[in-house]
């Protein structure tokens, strides 16, 4: 897998996992809001979620989830895609626009610094606070010897 | 057989208006928002997503509201809605080892790597009605409850992959291994009808969307002797996993979101003697659904009776019985269709019974003569 692809995967994940309000805010903050054309969607459909028996065995279909997708074309001719769990057209549209902008040499670097990296940090902070909430319910059971040994 | 009837439009419209009024209830009581249902009746929402076989907490909350809290009706609404949406494709299998754990317990080992994490559970509650919840509970009290647990700094609550309990047995080779051979495309019940005998992937999809009450009763029956499979709960884990999907136009997998799952792995009756090893049952469900995941694992294991050379003695081991009766949308439809007009059917039965009685009276009369 090329580095370029890994970074795109990373930013697409950050955009998908971010709260919609954060993307809205980032869009409003943009100094130069670019022209873009919506090529497809936003439209909601289904993706079948899969599991594996015992997590490592045979694959099976667990059930579907809603996903909203959108494709945009920014005026420089770059296509941005988004596939976001849930029903929000706005989230998918904004994520697709940012996906396109992040591919532009003149904008990508800046957006990675001002948007993607903060989103990743916020996600890590959110996960850490969730772990803090869970930690106190960790228990050490002690057993009483039953006498057979 | 039932027949089509015409008329009654006005009565039907009036019935629907009544339904809407009953749904709303007393208008001096504030109306429920979907956010309230999603946040405060989250286990209802989870059950509707699981059996509706569609992960979307917002839609499930809407379905619960529309169905007046009748979860089976809500499940039906979700199943009906999904048929209106296009299918974008199949996700990559979720990796529950990388779950952001909120609950994780084992009944087979006291000390498990990663520790026992109780999480938000009804276990250890006294099942006494809590009158604090009947009024407006202060947020302060909730916060107190949160910090009363001991902080345990010794073991870091899992940022990395949480080790799997059954892997401990796996390393010793004393449990059957769970590997994927030539990874054939699993069957999909939303695309093809169930055929028997069904492979394990088809069975698991059926069980994942099956009625919880039905699965619970089936699992319970195996414990009571109708096909004993000697289960131990190796591990239950609940938390969030990220879902990845490979869109055709991109050609590489992208994260599309995060979903809550509950997983149960059981350690069951061993097979062989010199090379004796335990067998496995597997349960996986949308949302927080421990009872369902456990029941699913019990039934998954009991449905493997044939493949493991066990005698089929109980209903839970009978694939045809379990898989054809597990779906509550189908079951509810077939039971409730009895409400539809069966006027012609009944008229013919009525004529038959009347005829039989008349014949027998005629015979008796001719005897007496």
């Amino acid at each position: 897998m090329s580095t370029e692809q890994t970074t795109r995967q990373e930013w697409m994940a950050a955009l998908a996992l971010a709260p919609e309000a954060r993307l809205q805010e980032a869009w409003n903050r943009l100094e130069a809001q670019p022209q873009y054309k919506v090529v497809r969607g936003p439209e909601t459909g289904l993706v079948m979620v899969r599991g594996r028996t015992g997590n490592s065995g045979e694959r099976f279909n667990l059930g579907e989830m809603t996903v909203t997708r959108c494709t945009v074309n920014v005026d420089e001719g770059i296509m941005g895609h988004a596939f976001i769990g849930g029903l929000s057209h706005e989230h998918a549209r904004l994520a697709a626009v940012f996906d396109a902008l992040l591919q532009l040499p003149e904008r990508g670097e800046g957006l990675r610094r001002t948007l993607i990296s903060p989103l990743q940090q916020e996600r890590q902070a959110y996960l850490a606070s969730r772990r803090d909430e869970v930690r106190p319910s960790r228990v050490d059971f002690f057993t009483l010897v039953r006498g057979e040994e | 057989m039932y027949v089509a009837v015409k008329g009654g439009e006005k009565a039907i419209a009036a019935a629907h208006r009544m339904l809407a009024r009953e749904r709303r209830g007393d208008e001096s009581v504030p109306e429920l928002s979907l956010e309230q249902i999603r946040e405060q009746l989250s286990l209802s929402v989870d059950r509707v997503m699981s059996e509706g076989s569609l992960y979307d907490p917002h839609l499930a909350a809407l379905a619960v509201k529309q169905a007046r809290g009748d979860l089976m009706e809500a499940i039906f609404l979700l199943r009906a809605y999904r048929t209106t949406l296009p299918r974008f494709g199949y996700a990559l299998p979720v990796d529950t080892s990388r779950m952001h754990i909120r609950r994780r317990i084992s009944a087979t080992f006291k000390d498990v790597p990663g520790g026992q994490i109780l999480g938000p559970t009804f276990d250890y509650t006294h099942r006494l009605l809590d009158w604090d919840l009947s009024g407006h509970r202060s947020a302060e009290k909730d916060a107190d409850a949160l910090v009363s647990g001991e902080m345990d700094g010794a073991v870091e609550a899992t940022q990395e992959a949480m080790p799997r309990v059954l892997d401990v047995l796996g390393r010793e080779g004393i449990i059957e291994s769970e590997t994927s051979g030539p990874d054939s495309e699993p069957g999909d019940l939303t695309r093809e009808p169930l055929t028997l005998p069904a492979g394990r992937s088809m069975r698991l999809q059926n069980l994942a969307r099956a009625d919880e009450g039905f699965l619970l009763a089936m699992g319970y029956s195996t414990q009571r002797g109708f096909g004993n499979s000697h289960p131990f709960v190796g591990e239950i884990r609940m938390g969030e996993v990220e879902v990845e999907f490979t869109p055709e136009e991109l050609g590489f997998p992208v994260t599309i979101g995060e979903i809550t799952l509950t997983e149960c792995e059981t350690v069951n009756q061993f097979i062989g003697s010199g090379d004796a090893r335990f067998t496995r049952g597997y349960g996986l469900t949308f949302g927080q659904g421990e009872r369902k995941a456990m029941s699913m694992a019990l039934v998954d294991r009991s449905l493997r009776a044939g493949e493991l050379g066990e005698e089929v003695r109980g209903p839970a081991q009978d694939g045809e019985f379990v898989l054809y009766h597990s779906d509550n949308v189908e079951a509810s439809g077939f039971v409730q269709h009895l409400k539809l007009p069966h006027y012609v059917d009944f008229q013919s039965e009525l004529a038959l019974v009347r005829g039989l009685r008349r014949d027998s009276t005629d015979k008796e009369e001719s005897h007496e003569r």
Side-chain angles (χ1 to χ4, degrees), chain A residues 4-141:
Chain A
E4 193 189 327
Q5 194 182 94
T6 313
T7 5
R8 188 162 180 207
Q9 271 180 321
E10 280 169 3
W11 82 54
M12 288 184 83
L15 293 169
L17 294 168
E20 182 182 325
R22 281 292 278 110
L23 301 192
Q24 191 69 61
E25 193 185 293
W27 172 255
N28 294 338
R29 256 199 348 246
L30 279 186
E31 275 165 31
Q33 287 182 348
Q35 296 289 314
Y36 67 90
K37 229 175 46 220
V38 175
V39 179
R40 180 182 63 185
E43 54 172 343
T44 301
L46 302 167
V47 165
M48 177 60 90
V49 180
R50 286 180 158 171
R52 287 184 183 277
T53 56
N55 201 47
S56 53
E58 209 183 316
R59 291 178 299 171
F60 67 95
N61 293 308
L62 176 65
E64 290 159 317
M65 66 184 279
T66 52
V67 175
T68 302
R69 68 179 175 191
C70 186
T71 301
V72 301
N73 189 349
V74 293
D75 53 8
E76 292 87 347
I78 300 279
M79 303 286 259
H81 295 284
F83 293 80
I84 314 288
L87 304 170
S88 172
H89 285 196
E90 194 56 10
H91 192 155
R93 193 179 56 78
L94 287 167
V97 174
F98 281 119
D99 178 51
L101 297 181
L102 279 151
Q103 294 172 61
L104 300 174
E106 67 276 18
R107 284 205 190 233
E109 184 58 43
L111 275 174
R112 255 169 279 189
R113 200 177 53 246
T114 58
L115 177 62
I116 298 305
S117 157
L119 286 181
Q120 287 169 331
Q121 281 163 17
E122 285 160 34
R123 167 92 180 149
Q124 287 312 316
Y126 165 70
L127 291 175
S129 75
R130 215 158 54 175
R131 283 194 299 275
D132 289 343
E133 218 176 291
V134 166
R135 193 177 294 110
S137 79
R138 184 190 296 271
V139 73
D140 280 317
F141 287 119

Side-chain angles (χ1 to χ4, degrees), chain B residues 97-134:
Chain B
S97 296
R98 296 167 53 83
M99 181 184 277
H100 303 294
I101 301 267
R102 281 194 287 146
R103 172 165 167 78
R104 190 273 193 142
I105 54 163
S106 172
T108 49
F109 298 104
K110 181 167 69 72
D111 298 309
V112 283
Q116 308 253 8
I117 299 162
L118 301 184
T121 177
F122 291 125
D123 298 351
Y124 316 103
T125 63
H126 294 114
R127 265 74 184 212
L128 298 173
L129 279 177
D130 180 357
W131 294 104
D132 285 349
L133 292 174
S134 69

Side-chain angles (χ1 to χ4, degrees), chain B residues 322-334:
Chain B
V322 172
L323 302 175
Y324 277 125
H325 299 113
S326 61
D327 190 284
N328 59 27
V329 176
E330 281 172 20
S332 167
F334 202 55

Side-chain angles (χ1 to χ4, degrees), chain B residues 166-177 275-278:
Chain B
L166 266 59
D167 286 352
V168 176
L169 299 171
R171 275 193 294 273
E172 219 184 307
I174 54 171
I175 190 162
E176 56 177 337
S177 63
D275 59 347
R277 60 184 194 279
F278 292 110

